Short mmCIF file of all heavy atoms in Angstrom, two decimals:
data_model
loop_
_atom_site.label_atom_id
_atom_site.label_comp_id
_atom_site.label_asym_id
_atom_site.label_seq_id
_atom_site.Cartn_x
_atom_site.Cartn_y
_atom_site.Cartn_z
N MET A 40 85.87 104.11 68.99
CA MET A 40 86.05 103.48 70.27
C MET A 40 85.07 104.18 71.23
O MET A 40 85.22 105.40 71.48
CB MET A 40 87.47 103.60 70.64
CG MET A 40 87.80 102.95 71.88
SD MET A 40 89.51 102.76 72.05
CE MET A 40 89.71 102.61 73.76
N PRO A 41 84.27 103.38 71.95
CA PRO A 41 83.38 104.04 72.95
C PRO A 41 84.13 104.62 74.18
O PRO A 41 85.15 104.03 74.68
CB PRO A 41 82.39 102.98 73.36
CG PRO A 41 83.12 101.70 73.00
CD PRO A 41 84.03 102.06 71.83
N HIS A 42 83.71 105.67 74.70
CA HIS A 42 84.29 106.30 75.83
C HIS A 42 83.56 105.68 77.06
O HIS A 42 82.39 105.77 77.28
CB HIS A 42 84.12 107.74 75.96
CG HIS A 42 84.72 108.40 77.14
ND1 HIS A 42 86.03 108.51 77.33
CD2 HIS A 42 84.10 109.04 78.14
CE1 HIS A 42 86.27 109.12 78.53
NE2 HIS A 42 85.02 109.51 78.95
N THR A 43 84.35 105.13 77.97
CA THR A 43 83.75 104.52 79.27
C THR A 43 84.44 105.32 80.40
O THR A 43 85.57 105.65 80.43
CB THR A 43 84.10 103.05 79.37
OG1 THR A 43 85.60 102.79 79.29
CG2 THR A 43 83.50 102.21 78.21
N THR A 44 83.54 105.42 81.46
CA THR A 44 84.04 106.10 82.65
C THR A 44 84.22 105.01 83.71
O THR A 44 83.34 104.18 83.85
CB THR A 44 83.02 107.10 83.11
OG1 THR A 44 82.82 108.04 82.05
CG2 THR A 44 83.52 107.87 84.27
N SER A 45 85.38 105.04 84.37
CA SER A 45 85.61 103.97 85.38
C SER A 45 84.91 104.33 86.68
O SER A 45 84.64 105.48 87.02
CB SER A 45 87.11 103.78 85.53
OG SER A 45 87.68 104.99 86.04
N LEU A 46 84.76 103.37 87.49
CA LEU A 46 84.17 103.56 88.78
C LEU A 46 85.02 104.36 89.67
O LEU A 46 84.44 105.25 90.40
CB LEU A 46 83.90 102.21 89.45
CG LEU A 46 83.07 102.18 90.80
CD1 LEU A 46 81.70 102.76 90.56
CD2 LEU A 46 83.00 100.83 91.29
N PRO A 47 86.38 104.25 89.75
CA PRO A 47 87.12 105.19 90.54
C PRO A 47 86.97 106.59 90.22
O PRO A 47 86.91 107.48 91.09
CB PRO A 47 88.58 104.71 90.39
CG PRO A 47 88.49 103.29 90.00
CD PRO A 47 87.20 103.12 89.21
N LYS A 48 86.85 106.94 88.96
CA LYS A 48 86.62 108.33 88.51
C LYS A 48 85.28 108.82 88.98
O LYS A 48 85.26 109.98 89.51
CB LYS A 48 86.71 108.40 87.02
CG LYS A 48 86.70 109.83 86.45
CD LYS A 48 86.82 109.93 84.98
CE LYS A 48 88.20 109.54 84.56
NZ LYS A 48 89.19 110.65 84.71
N ILE A 49 84.26 108.10 88.92
CA ILE A 49 83.02 108.40 89.39
C ILE A 49 82.98 108.65 90.87
O ILE A 49 82.44 109.60 91.49
CB ILE A 49 81.90 107.37 88.94
CG1 ILE A 49 81.72 107.37 87.47
CG2 ILE A 49 80.61 107.73 89.65
CD1 ILE A 49 80.91 106.24 87.05
N ALA A 50 83.74 107.72 91.65
CA ALA A 50 83.74 107.94 93.09
C ALA A 50 84.53 109.20 93.48
O ALA A 50 84.18 109.82 94.45
CB ALA A 50 84.51 106.65 93.65
N GLY A 51 85.54 109.45 92.70
CA GLY A 51 86.37 110.76 93.05
C GLY A 51 85.41 111.94 92.83
O GLY A 51 85.41 112.91 93.71
N TYR A 52 84.76 112.02 91.73
CA TYR A 52 83.84 113.12 91.46
C TYR A 52 82.75 113.23 92.48
O TYR A 52 82.34 114.22 92.94
CB TYR A 52 83.35 113.16 90.16
CG TYR A 52 84.40 113.65 89.04
CD1 TYR A 52 84.90 112.81 88.12
CD2 TYR A 52 84.81 114.97 89.06
CE1 TYR A 52 85.80 113.32 87.19
CE2 TYR A 52 85.75 115.50 88.12
CZ TYR A 52 86.20 114.58 87.20
OH TYR A 52 87.16 115.04 86.33
N ALA A 53 82.18 112.04 92.81
CA ALA A 53 81.03 112.05 93.85
C ALA A 53 81.56 112.45 95.15
O ALA A 53 80.79 113.31 95.81
CB ALA A 53 80.50 110.51 93.91
N SER A 54 82.69 112.18 95.55
CA SER A 54 83.23 112.53 96.80
C SER A 54 83.37 114.06 96.90
O SER A 54 83.01 114.72 97.89
CB SER A 54 84.53 111.81 97.11
OG SER A 54 85.07 112.27 98.31
N ILE A 55 84.00 114.61 95.91
CA ILE A 55 84.20 116.10 95.92
C ILE A 55 82.78 116.75 95.86
O ILE A 55 82.73 117.88 96.56
CB ILE A 55 85.11 116.51 94.82
CG1 ILE A 55 85.65 117.93 95.08
CG2 ILE A 55 84.50 116.53 93.52
CD1 ILE A 55 87.00 117.92 95.65
N PHE A 56 81.93 116.30 95.16
CA PHE A 56 80.59 116.81 95.07
C PHE A 56 79.84 116.84 96.43
O PHE A 56 79.33 117.81 96.95
CB PHE A 56 79.74 116.17 94.06
CG PHE A 56 78.31 116.71 93.80
CD1 PHE A 56 78.20 117.92 93.15
CD2 PHE A 56 77.25 116.01 94.28
CE1 PHE A 56 76.87 118.48 93.04
CE2 PHE A 56 75.97 116.49 94.09
CZ PHE A 56 75.71 117.78 93.51
N ILE A 57 79.94 115.65 97.10
CA ILE A 57 79.36 115.49 98.40
C ILE A 57 79.96 116.38 99.42
O ILE A 57 79.34 116.95 100.28
CB ILE A 57 79.41 114.07 98.77
CG1 ILE A 57 78.48 113.16 97.98
CG2 ILE A 57 79.04 113.84 100.31
CD1 ILE A 57 78.74 111.63 98.11
N GLY A 58 81.32 116.54 99.39
CA GLY A 58 82.10 117.32 100.30
C GLY A 58 81.68 118.83 100.10
O GLY A 58 81.50 119.56 101.08
N VAL A 59 81.64 119.34 98.92
CA VAL A 59 81.18 120.68 98.69
C VAL A 59 79.79 120.94 99.09
O VAL A 59 79.56 122.05 99.82
CB VAL A 59 81.39 121.10 97.17
CG1 VAL A 59 80.79 122.36 96.74
CG2 VAL A 59 82.85 121.01 96.83
N LEU A 60 78.94 120.03 98.89
CA LEU A 60 77.49 120.33 99.34
C LEU A 60 77.44 120.24 100.84
O LEU A 60 76.78 121.07 101.46
CB LEU A 60 76.61 119.09 98.81
CG LEU A 60 76.19 119.22 97.36
CD1 LEU A 60 75.26 118.10 97.01
CD2 LEU A 60 75.52 120.58 97.07
N SER A 61 78.18 119.43 101.55
CA SER A 61 78.23 119.38 102.98
C SER A 61 78.77 120.65 103.59
O SER A 61 78.17 121.22 104.43
CB SER A 61 78.97 118.14 103.47
OG SER A 61 79.36 118.18 104.88
N ALA A 62 79.87 121.10 103.02
CA ALA A 62 80.50 122.34 103.57
C ALA A 62 79.60 123.54 103.35
O ALA A 62 79.40 124.40 104.17
CB ALA A 62 81.84 122.49 102.94
N ALA A 63 79.03 123.63 102.06
CA ALA A 63 78.12 124.77 101.69
C ALA A 63 76.95 124.72 102.63
O ALA A 63 76.47 125.82 103.13
CB ALA A 63 77.71 124.69 100.35
N PHE A 64 76.35 123.52 102.87
CA PHE A 64 75.06 123.46 103.62
C PHE A 64 75.34 123.89 105.14
O PHE A 64 74.49 124.57 105.73
CB PHE A 64 74.55 122.02 103.58
CG PHE A 64 73.29 121.89 104.49
CD1 PHE A 64 72.12 122.37 104.05
CD2 PHE A 64 73.42 121.15 105.68
CE1 PHE A 64 70.95 122.18 104.85
CE2 PHE A 64 72.17 121.07 106.47
CZ PHE A 64 71.03 121.53 106.06
N SER A 65 76.56 123.55 105.60
CA SER A 65 76.81 123.77 106.97
C SER A 65 76.99 125.27 107.30
O SER A 65 76.74 125.89 108.35
CB SER A 65 78.08 123.11 107.53
OG SER A 65 79.23 123.58 106.83
N PHE A 66 77.48 126.02 106.20
CA PHE A 66 77.63 127.54 106.35
C PHE A 66 76.23 128.23 106.13
O PHE A 66 76.06 129.34 106.68
CB PHE A 66 78.57 128.08 105.29
CG PHE A 66 80.06 127.84 105.68
CD1 PHE A 66 80.74 126.91 105.08
CD2 PHE A 66 80.62 128.58 106.74
CE1 PHE A 66 82.12 126.75 105.33
CE2 PHE A 66 81.87 128.40 107.14
CZ PHE A 66 82.65 127.42 106.43
N VAL A 67 75.26 127.65 105.40
CA VAL A 67 74.05 128.32 105.05
C VAL A 67 72.95 127.92 106.08
O VAL A 67 72.11 128.87 106.39
CB VAL A 67 73.69 127.93 103.54
CG1 VAL A 67 72.29 128.48 103.29
CG2 VAL A 67 74.72 128.34 102.68
N THR A 68 73.03 126.87 106.56
CA THR A 68 71.80 126.34 107.43
C THR A 68 71.73 127.15 108.82
O THR A 68 72.78 127.61 109.34
CB THR A 68 71.89 124.86 107.69
OG1 THR A 68 70.74 124.44 108.30
CG2 THR A 68 73.12 124.46 108.59
N ASN A 69 70.52 127.18 109.36
CA ASN A 69 70.30 127.68 110.71
C ASN A 69 70.25 126.62 111.65
O ASN A 69 70.08 126.93 112.94
CB ASN A 69 69.00 128.53 110.71
CG ASN A 69 69.18 129.73 109.86
OD1 ASN A 69 70.27 130.32 109.81
ND2 ASN A 69 68.17 130.31 109.37
N SER A 70 70.42 125.34 111.28
CA SER A 70 70.23 124.17 112.13
C SER A 70 71.66 123.51 112.25
O SER A 70 71.94 122.72 111.35
CB SER A 70 69.22 123.17 111.64
OG SER A 70 69.26 122.02 112.43
N PRO A 71 72.33 123.67 113.32
CA PRO A 71 73.73 123.11 113.44
C PRO A 71 73.62 121.61 113.62
O PRO A 71 74.57 120.90 113.15
CB PRO A 71 74.29 123.71 114.73
CG PRO A 71 73.18 124.53 115.40
CD PRO A 71 72.10 124.65 114.44
N GLU A 72 72.54 121.12 114.14
CA GLU A 72 72.35 119.63 114.22
C GLU A 72 72.35 118.98 112.86
O GLU A 72 72.92 117.98 112.62
CB GLU A 72 71.15 119.20 115.08
CG GLU A 72 71.33 119.57 116.52
CD GLU A 72 70.86 120.99 116.90
OE1 GLU A 72 70.35 121.64 116.02
OE2 GLU A 72 71.23 121.49 118.04
N ALA A 73 71.59 119.59 112.07
CA ALA A 73 71.41 119.14 110.61
C ALA A 73 72.76 119.22 109.94
O ALA A 73 73.12 118.29 109.12
CB ALA A 73 70.39 119.92 109.81
N ALA A 74 73.62 120.26 110.18
CA ALA A 74 74.96 120.37 109.59
C ALA A 74 75.80 119.21 110.01
O ALA A 74 76.53 118.60 109.21
CB ALA A 74 75.48 121.70 109.77
N MET A 75 75.67 118.87 111.35
CA MET A 75 76.58 117.72 111.82
C MET A 75 76.04 116.48 111.31
O MET A 75 76.96 115.64 110.91
CB MET A 75 76.50 117.88 113.37
CG MET A 75 77.27 118.99 113.93
SD MET A 75 77.35 118.89 115.76
CE MET A 75 78.31 117.51 115.99
N TYR A 76 74.85 116.23 111.19
CA TYR A 76 74.31 114.98 110.63
C TYR A 76 74.71 114.81 109.21
O TYR A 76 75.16 113.76 108.73
CB TYR A 76 72.79 114.85 110.80
CG TYR A 76 72.46 114.61 112.23
CD1 TYR A 76 71.32 115.28 112.79
CD2 TYR A 76 73.18 113.68 113.01
CE1 TYR A 76 70.92 115.03 114.16
CE2 TYR A 76 72.72 113.43 114.39
CZ TYR A 76 71.64 114.12 114.86
OH TYR A 76 71.21 113.91 116.15
N LEU A 77 74.44 115.93 108.39
CA LEU A 77 74.90 115.86 107.03
C LEU A 77 76.32 115.69 106.91
O LEU A 77 76.88 114.92 106.06
CB LEU A 77 74.35 117.06 106.24
CG LEU A 77 74.55 117.10 104.76
CD1 LEU A 77 73.64 116.02 104.12
CD2 LEU A 77 74.25 118.32 104.19
N GLY A 78 77.17 116.39 107.67
CA GLY A 78 78.60 116.29 107.58
C GLY A 78 79.08 114.91 107.99
O GLY A 78 80.04 114.32 107.33
N GLY A 79 78.46 114.23 108.97
CA GLY A 79 78.86 112.93 109.38
C GLY A 79 78.54 111.91 108.24
O GLY A 79 79.32 111.01 108.08
N GLY A 80 77.33 112.04 107.68
CA GLY A 80 77.01 111.21 106.59
C GLY A 80 77.97 111.32 105.39
O GLY A 80 78.28 110.41 104.70
N ALA A 81 78.32 112.55 105.20
CA ALA A 81 79.20 112.92 103.96
C ALA A 81 80.61 112.36 104.26
O ALA A 81 81.21 111.86 103.33
CB ALA A 81 79.19 114.41 103.81
N VAL A 82 81.03 112.33 105.53
CA VAL A 82 82.29 111.72 105.87
C VAL A 82 82.28 110.26 105.62
O VAL A 82 83.21 109.74 105.00
CB VAL A 82 82.72 112.04 107.31
CG1 VAL A 82 83.84 111.20 107.81
CG2 VAL A 82 83.02 113.47 107.53
N ILE A 83 81.22 109.66 105.99
CA ILE A 83 81.20 108.19 105.66
C ILE A 83 81.10 107.90 104.14
O ILE A 83 81.78 106.94 103.60
CB ILE A 83 79.91 107.60 106.31
CG1 ILE A 83 80.15 107.65 107.88
CG2 ILE A 83 79.60 106.14 105.96
CD1 ILE A 83 78.86 107.32 108.70
N ALA A 84 80.29 108.69 103.43
CA ALA A 84 80.28 108.44 101.98
C ALA A 84 81.51 108.73 101.37
O ALA A 84 81.96 108.05 100.33
CB ALA A 84 79.18 109.43 101.39
N CYS A 85 82.32 109.72 101.84
CA CYS A 85 83.59 110.00 101.17
C CYS A 85 84.61 109.05 101.60
O CYS A 85 85.50 108.74 100.77
CB CYS A 85 84.06 111.42 101.56
SG CYS A 85 83.16 112.75 100.99
N LEU A 86 84.58 108.41 102.77
CA LEU A 86 85.43 107.36 103.01
C LEU A 86 85.24 106.13 102.22
O LEU A 86 86.21 105.44 101.63
CB LEU A 86 85.25 106.88 104.46
CG LEU A 86 85.95 107.83 105.56
CD1 LEU A 86 85.47 107.39 106.99
CD2 LEU A 86 87.39 107.83 105.44
N ILE A 87 83.97 105.89 101.91
CA ILE A 87 83.65 104.75 100.90
C ILE A 87 84.05 105.08 99.51
O ILE A 87 84.67 104.16 98.94
CB ILE A 87 82.03 104.37 100.93
CG1 ILE A 87 81.68 103.92 102.35
CG2 ILE A 87 81.76 103.50 99.78
CD1 ILE A 87 80.21 103.82 102.50
N SER A 88 83.92 106.32 99.17
CA SER A 88 84.44 106.79 97.80
C SER A 88 85.95 106.70 97.77
O SER A 88 86.48 106.37 96.68
CB SER A 88 83.97 108.16 97.49
OG SER A 88 82.61 108.22 97.38
N GLY A 89 86.55 106.99 98.85
CA GLY A 89 88.07 106.87 98.94
C GLY A 89 88.51 105.48 98.77
O GLY A 89 89.61 105.23 98.14
N VAL A 90 87.90 104.54 99.31
CA VAL A 90 88.20 103.15 99.18
C VAL A 90 87.98 102.67 97.77
O VAL A 90 88.90 101.96 97.22
CB VAL A 90 87.39 102.30 100.13
CG1 VAL A 90 87.55 100.80 99.78
CG2 VAL A 90 87.80 102.53 101.64
N ILE A 91 86.95 103.13 97.06
CA ILE A 91 86.69 102.80 95.61
C ILE A 91 87.73 103.41 94.85
O ILE A 91 88.22 102.82 93.84
CB ILE A 91 85.34 103.14 95.29
CG1 ILE A 91 84.27 102.30 96.11
CG2 ILE A 91 85.14 103.00 93.81
CD1 ILE A 91 82.84 102.72 95.91
N ALA A 92 88.15 104.66 95.19
CA ALA A 92 88.96 105.52 94.20
C ALA A 92 90.46 105.29 94.54
O ALA A 92 91.30 105.84 93.88
CB ALA A 92 88.70 106.98 94.51
N ARG A 93 90.82 104.34 95.40
CA ARG A 93 92.24 104.21 95.74
C ARG A 93 93.08 103.57 94.59
O ARG A 93 94.30 103.62 94.70
CB ARG A 93 92.34 103.36 97.02
CG ARG A 93 92.06 101.81 96.71
CD ARG A 93 92.11 101.03 98.00
NE ARG A 93 92.00 99.66 97.71
CZ ARG A 93 90.88 98.98 97.62
NH1 ARG A 93 89.69 99.70 97.61
NH2 ARG A 93 90.89 97.67 97.31
N LYS A 94 92.49 103.09 93.62
CA LYS A 94 93.13 102.50 92.50
C LYS A 94 93.85 103.45 91.62
O LYS A 94 94.85 103.15 90.75
CB LYS A 94 92.18 101.66 91.56
CG LYS A 94 91.52 100.53 92.49
CD LYS A 94 90.83 99.56 91.59
CE LYS A 94 90.11 98.59 92.44
NZ LYS A 94 90.72 97.68 93.18
N ASN A 95 93.47 104.73 91.62
CA ASN A 95 94.11 105.79 90.78
C ASN A 95 94.37 106.89 91.63
O ASN A 95 93.51 107.46 92.43
CB ASN A 95 93.24 106.17 89.71
CG ASN A 95 93.83 106.97 88.67
OD1 ASN A 95 94.84 107.64 88.94
ND2 ASN A 95 93.27 107.10 87.47
N ILE A 96 95.52 107.51 91.54
CA ILE A 96 96.07 108.53 92.50
C ILE A 96 95.27 109.82 92.25
O ILE A 96 94.91 110.54 93.31
CB ILE A 96 97.58 108.74 92.46
CG1 ILE A 96 98.04 109.75 93.51
CG2 ILE A 96 97.93 109.41 91.13
CD1 ILE A 96 97.99 109.11 94.97
N ASP A 97 94.96 110.20 91.03
CA ASP A 97 94.12 111.37 90.79
C ASP A 97 92.69 111.35 91.38
O ASP A 97 92.41 112.32 92.07
CB ASP A 97 94.08 111.63 89.35
CG ASP A 97 95.49 111.90 88.64
OD1 ASP A 97 96.30 112.45 89.34
OD2 ASP A 97 95.66 111.57 87.40
N GLU A 98 92.15 110.17 91.23
CA GLU A 98 90.71 110.02 91.82
C GLU A 98 90.90 110.08 93.35
O GLU A 98 90.01 110.49 94.11
CB GLU A 98 90.01 108.86 91.28
CG GLU A 98 89.44 109.08 89.94
CD GLU A 98 90.52 109.08 88.80
OE1 GLU A 98 91.53 108.54 88.93
OE2 GLU A 98 90.20 109.59 87.77
N LEU A 99 91.92 109.41 93.85
CA LEU A 99 92.13 109.36 95.29
C LEU A 99 92.30 110.69 95.86
O LEU A 99 91.81 111.04 96.98
CB LEU A 99 93.25 108.49 95.67
CG LEU A 99 93.54 108.25 97.17
CD1 LEU A 99 92.31 107.62 97.86
CD2 LEU A 99 94.70 107.48 97.39
N GLN A 100 93.02 111.53 95.17
CA GLN A 100 93.17 112.95 95.66
C GLN A 100 91.87 113.68 95.66
O GLN A 100 91.63 114.52 96.61
CB GLN A 100 94.06 113.75 94.72
CG GLN A 100 95.59 113.18 94.96
CD GLN A 100 96.51 113.92 93.93
OE1 GLN A 100 96.06 114.59 92.94
NE2 GLN A 100 97.77 113.81 94.21
N MET A 101 90.97 113.54 94.65
CA MET A 101 89.69 114.08 94.69
C MET A 101 88.89 113.59 95.90
O MET A 101 88.09 114.34 96.51
CB MET A 101 88.96 113.86 93.37
CG MET A 101 89.47 114.72 92.25
SD MET A 101 88.47 114.74 90.76
CE MET A 101 88.21 113.00 90.37
N ALA A 102 88.90 112.29 96.08
CA ALA A 102 88.18 111.72 97.27
C ALA A 102 88.64 112.25 98.63
O ALA A 102 87.84 112.62 99.44
CB ALA A 102 88.26 110.16 97.26
N VAL A 103 89.95 112.47 98.72
CA VAL A 103 90.39 113.04 100.06
C VAL A 103 90.15 114.49 100.10
O VAL A 103 89.71 114.90 101.15
CB VAL A 103 92.01 112.80 100.11
CG1 VAL A 103 92.63 113.63 101.18
CG2 VAL A 103 92.29 111.37 100.15
N ALA A 104 90.03 115.27 99.00
CA ALA A 104 89.54 116.63 99.06
C ALA A 104 88.09 116.71 99.51
O ALA A 104 87.72 117.50 100.23
CB ALA A 104 89.71 117.27 97.73
N GLY A 105 87.23 115.82 98.95
CA GLY A 105 85.84 115.73 99.37
C GLY A 105 85.76 115.29 100.90
O GLY A 105 84.86 115.89 101.57
N LEU A 106 86.66 114.39 101.34
CA LEU A 106 86.57 113.99 102.74
C LEU A 106 86.97 115.30 103.61
O LEU A 106 86.31 115.51 104.59
CB LEU A 106 87.56 112.86 102.99
CG LEU A 106 87.77 112.44 104.37
CD1 LEU A 106 86.42 111.85 104.93
CD2 LEU A 106 88.90 111.38 104.51
N PHE A 107 87.96 116.01 103.20
CA PHE A 107 88.32 117.14 103.96
C PHE A 107 87.24 118.28 104.03
O PHE A 107 86.95 118.70 105.04
CB PHE A 107 89.56 117.81 103.25
CG PHE A 107 89.94 119.12 103.91
CD1 PHE A 107 90.59 119.18 105.13
CD2 PHE A 107 89.66 120.29 103.29
CE1 PHE A 107 90.92 120.33 105.72
CE2 PHE A 107 90.05 121.54 103.85
CZ PHE A 107 90.65 121.60 105.10
N LEU A 108 86.52 118.40 102.87
CA LEU A 108 85.40 119.39 102.90
C LEU A 108 84.27 118.85 103.80
O LEU A 108 83.56 119.67 104.50
CB LEU A 108 84.85 119.61 101.46
CG LEU A 108 85.84 120.58 100.57
CD1 LEU A 108 85.43 120.50 99.18
CD2 LEU A 108 85.85 121.93 101.21
N SER A 109 84.09 117.55 103.81
CA SER A 109 83.04 117.01 104.67
C SER A 109 83.42 117.23 106.07
O SER A 109 82.51 117.44 106.93
CB SER A 109 82.92 115.55 104.43
OG SER A 109 82.43 115.34 103.00
N ILE A 110 84.73 116.99 106.42
CA ILE A 110 85.11 117.25 107.86
C ILE A 110 85.00 118.73 108.27
O ILE A 110 84.49 119.07 109.35
CB ILE A 110 86.57 116.74 108.03
CG1 ILE A 110 86.57 115.25 107.85
CG2 ILE A 110 87.10 117.27 109.40
CD1 ILE A 110 87.88 114.66 107.86
N VAL A 111 85.27 119.64 107.31
CA VAL A 111 84.95 121.01 107.45
C VAL A 111 83.46 121.30 107.77
O VAL A 111 83.15 122.02 108.72
CB VAL A 111 85.50 121.89 106.32
CG1 VAL A 111 85.03 123.35 106.39
CG2 VAL A 111 86.98 121.85 106.22
N GLY A 112 82.70 120.65 106.93
CA GLY A 112 81.20 120.85 107.21
C GLY A 112 80.69 120.39 108.57
O GLY A 112 79.99 121.00 109.31
N CYS A 113 81.33 119.28 108.96
CA CYS A 113 80.99 118.77 110.27
C CYS A 113 81.53 119.59 111.40
O CYS A 113 80.85 119.86 112.44
CB CYS A 113 81.57 117.28 110.41
SG CYS A 113 80.61 116.32 111.51
N ALA A 114 82.72 120.14 111.17
CA ALA A 114 83.35 120.93 112.22
C ALA A 114 82.61 122.33 112.36
O ALA A 114 82.47 122.87 113.45
CB ALA A 114 84.80 121.25 111.90
N VAL A 115 82.10 122.89 111.18
CA VAL A 115 81.38 124.15 111.29
C VAL A 115 80.05 123.90 112.08
O VAL A 115 79.62 124.71 112.87
CB VAL A 115 81.09 124.65 109.94
CG1 VAL A 115 80.00 125.72 109.85
CG2 VAL A 115 82.35 125.17 109.29
N GLY A 116 79.42 122.75 111.82
CA GLY A 116 78.22 122.38 112.60
C GLY A 116 78.51 122.30 114.03
O GLY A 116 77.68 122.69 114.90
N ALA A 117 79.60 121.59 114.39
CA ALA A 117 80.01 121.53 115.76
C ALA A 117 80.28 122.78 116.38
O ALA A 117 79.88 123.01 117.58
CB ALA A 117 81.10 120.58 115.99
N TRP A 118 80.96 123.78 115.70
CA TRP A 118 81.20 125.11 116.19
C TRP A 118 79.94 125.86 116.41
O TRP A 118 79.91 126.57 117.49
CB TRP A 118 82.14 125.86 115.20
CG TRP A 118 82.53 127.16 115.62
CD1 TRP A 118 83.42 127.50 116.54
CD2 TRP A 118 81.89 128.35 115.23
NE1 TRP A 118 83.45 128.82 116.67
CE2 TRP A 118 82.51 129.46 115.83
CE3 TRP A 118 80.87 128.66 114.26
CZ2 TRP A 118 82.15 130.69 115.55
CZ3 TRP A 118 80.50 129.98 114.01
CH2 TRP A 118 81.15 130.96 114.69
N GLN A 119 78.99 125.69 115.54
CA GLN A 119 77.74 126.36 115.78
C GLN A 119 76.93 125.80 116.96
O GLN A 119 76.31 126.59 117.61
CB GLN A 119 76.88 126.32 114.49
CG GLN A 119 77.30 127.02 113.32
CD GLN A 119 76.54 126.86 112.00
OE1 GLN A 119 75.70 125.85 111.99
NE2 GLN A 119 76.74 127.62 111.06
N VAL A 120 77.03 124.48 117.19
CA VAL A 120 76.33 123.91 118.28
C VAL A 120 76.90 124.56 119.57
O VAL A 120 76.14 124.89 120.52
CB VAL A 120 76.53 122.33 118.38
CG1 VAL A 120 76.13 121.81 119.62
CG2 VAL A 120 75.62 121.81 117.28
N TYR A 121 78.20 124.62 119.74
CA TYR A 121 78.81 125.04 121.03
C TYR A 121 78.94 126.50 121.21
O TYR A 121 79.30 126.97 122.27
CB TYR A 121 80.15 124.25 121.24
CG TYR A 121 79.99 122.86 121.27
CD1 TYR A 121 80.41 121.99 120.28
CD2 TYR A 121 79.34 122.24 122.45
CE1 TYR A 121 80.28 120.66 120.45
CE2 TYR A 121 79.19 120.96 122.48
CZ TYR A 121 79.72 120.12 121.61
OH TYR A 121 79.46 118.70 121.77
N ASN A 122 78.69 127.33 120.13
CA ASN A 122 78.82 128.76 120.23
C ASN A 122 77.53 129.50 120.10
O ASN A 122 77.49 130.79 120.18
CB ASN A 122 79.77 129.28 119.21
CG ASN A 122 81.28 129.05 119.65
OD1 ASN A 122 81.58 129.08 120.80
ND2 ASN A 122 82.05 128.59 118.64
N PHE A 123 76.38 128.84 119.88
CA PHE A 123 75.10 129.48 119.71
C PHE A 123 74.12 128.97 120.72
O PHE A 123 74.08 127.98 121.16
CB PHE A 123 74.56 129.48 118.27
CG PHE A 123 75.37 130.24 117.35
CD1 PHE A 123 75.99 129.62 116.23
CD2 PHE A 123 75.53 131.63 117.41
CE1 PHE A 123 76.70 130.30 115.28
CE2 PHE A 123 76.24 132.32 116.56
CZ PHE A 123 76.81 131.73 115.40
#
């Protein structure tokens, strides 16, 4: 029997990956504007992934975790803009 991966599972993993990249980039970069732009784009991508992943609770939890990390990335960028 062939192993197939469902779209909600891919969306959940994509969301967590995007969120981790966004948060990591915001802590490493010297450009707070770039961190905010990337964080904002990641929030939108994670929201779309959440809509796709809503069919399964496990994948939805991963999508929400990615959304949270994207918001953290955006918040770190905003903090850097207003404190530096």
